[in-house]
Amino acid sequence: MSTPSPTISHPLAVALALSLGAAVALGLSRFSYGLLLPPMRDDLGWSYLLAGAMNTCNALGYFLGALATPALLRRMGTWRLLMAGSVLASIFMLLSGFVSDTTALFLQRLCAGAASAFVFVAGGVLAARLGSLQGERAGFIIGLYYGGTGFGIALSALLVPATLSSAQQHGAAHGWQSAWLALGIACLLATALMALPARSIGEARLMQGQAQRFSSKDFGCGLAAYFMFGAGYIGYMTFVVALLKQQGMSPQLITVFYTLLGLAVVASSRIWARMLDRNKGGQSLAILNALLGLATLIPALTSAAPFIFLSGLVFGAVFLSVVASTTALVRHNLPPESWPAGISAFTAVFAFGQIAGPVLVGWIADGQAGLERGLVASSVLLLIGAALAMGQKALVAGR
């Protein structure tokens, strides 16, 4: 059974600390790769297909981790799984600073993806539990957790260029390895900072006999839309920096672009909180997917800096709120004991979409059409996701 609801004196501070889990799982562990892709590709002679496959491998690990998470939650408890996953993700990030073999890097991305899934799902369950204790602020609390990814993106935007520059000045053979080491250290620090606040939320461990009702038929449209989101958004996050570099944007402007994108992710928790609380079905998922589709299309149509920055701000202000919208969908329509099963199912579908996305965009980018056509494909997937989400209705028996 779940432990009694704790009394939390400073719920926003706890939510902010918990959001560091999302920063580790996605902002630092996954989305930093978009910044590292150009120097790694230049140094190791990768094609765009191979570079995209590196993030596909990360998504495969994430998918496998999401499948294993429900059983691990029952065995370990939510907080312990959160901590174990975060420590493992940090270690795998550090290991990337010591290898240059492509096979070894594939293995690192696979393992880091699995550990990230443990962190992201366990953190999502704790965020939903914390939100349920806050009544009308539940949507904001959940959004704040997922918005923590923006802290990781912004920190990556500052750490990676600075570390690459320092490594180049010192004549490092593979300067990108120093960046992986710096990111791994940042993950360990984030893990330490969130440990005690996350524990104060209380365990919500489920015993073997406790029912976890979740039917994929009830959430068919939502799951299909979320798959399209996973396949579509990851193309932008994997290749947009490479595209901006190809279009001639200066490294300084790229750093500003990526930092602002990350800060927009943080702000998204406030922007969409009321909508997430109000909509019980797939309306939020549809609106956010549509906005993402339009934002993704912009860099494929123009290289003008004002429009590129608009794309990054809109994309950042929306994409993690899509994730928050599925957690809100589960929270609105299922009892608390079913939240882990629901969040894990959506996470697995999300991860499966991400497996396809980078390879598809990389394959298109290696052709004559280039990266621009790859982002057009991503935009189309997101718009299809928006259409599918409109079919997701609130459950009749939902809360």
Side-chain angles (χ1 to χ4, degrees), residues 284-338:
S284 298
L285 183 56
I287 292 168
L288 297 171
N289 259 334
L291 287 172
L292 275 182
L294 296 175
T296 300
L297 191 59
I298 292 174
L301 301 178
T302 178
S303 60
F307 290 103
I308 295 297
F309 275 79
L310 175 64
S311 167
L313 286 171
V314 173
F315 195 96
V318 172
F319 88 99
L320 257 297
S321 291
V322 178
V323 183
S325 75
T326 61
T327 299
L329 182 66
V330 166
R331 191 180 66 84
H332 285 311
N333 292 284
L334 294 175
E337 62 268 18
S338 296

Side-chain angles (χ1 to χ4, degrees), residues 77-160:
T78 314
W79 180 81
R80 289 184 179 85
L81 183 59
L82 175 72
M83 289 296 102
S86 194
V87 169
L88 286 172
S90 304
I91 291 172
F92 293 130
M93 292 284 282
L94 288 169
L95 289 177
S96 296
F98 297 99
V99 296
S100 59
D101 177 71
T102 300
T103 302
L105 288 168
F106 268 124
L107 183 61
Q108 177 274 334
R109 296 303 286 161
L110 180 76
C111 294
S116 295
F118 303 155
V119 177
F120 205 59
V121 177
V125 172
L126 288 174
R129 179 168 166 79
L130 179 61
S132 70
L133 301 174
Q134 304 305 311
E136 295 180 353
R137 292 195 295 178
F140 176 55
I141 293 292
I142 293 171
L144 194 60
Y145 167 69
Y146 292 114
T149 302
F151 292 128
I153 292 172
L155 183 58
S156 297
L158 299 175
L159 269 180
V160 171

Side-chain angles (χ1 to χ4, degrees), residues 7 11 18 37 87 116 123 142 154 171 202 247 260 262 267 272 299 328 353 356 359 377:
T7 300
L18 183 63
L37 186 152
V87 169
S116 295
I142 293 171
Q247 291 176 341
L260 289 177
W272 307 109
V359 170

